[in-house]
Amino acid sequence: MQSRAAELAQELGAQWNYLTSCGPDATQTIFHLHGHLVPRCADDSLALPWTYSIREQEPAR
């Protein structure tokens, strides 16, 4: 799967992150294999990892 994702990313051009989630601590709720091919650019402001701590999710006071 990872090899195919790398081939697909190369075919599409640009720059990519390939991410997988495995297990409940990695935000996986149903056990299965999957991947995310995420397009990236220098100013996309996408912060990784996907989730944030509870403190960061609380609204500012």
Side-chain angles (χ1 to χ4, degrees):
M1 188 168 160
Q2 290 176 318
S3 293
R4 181 60 188 129
E7 291 170 358
L8 180 58
Q10 188 173 21
E11 290 172 20
L12 295 171
Q15 298 181 49
W16 303 81
N17 279 118
Y18 177 74
L19 305 167
T20 61
S21 299
C22 184
D25 290 340
T27 70
Q28 184 183 45
T29 56
I30 298 172
F31 183 74
H32 66 289
L33 177 63
H34 70 274
H36 303 269
L37 192 56
V38 182
R40 300 302 306 270
C41 64
D43 59 351
D44 64 16
S45 71
L46 177 62
L48 296 176
W50 296 110
T51 59
Y52 301 94
S53 70
I54 292 172
R55 189 183 78 200
E56 291 174 349
Q57 293 176 4
E58 292 176 354
R61 297 177 191 206

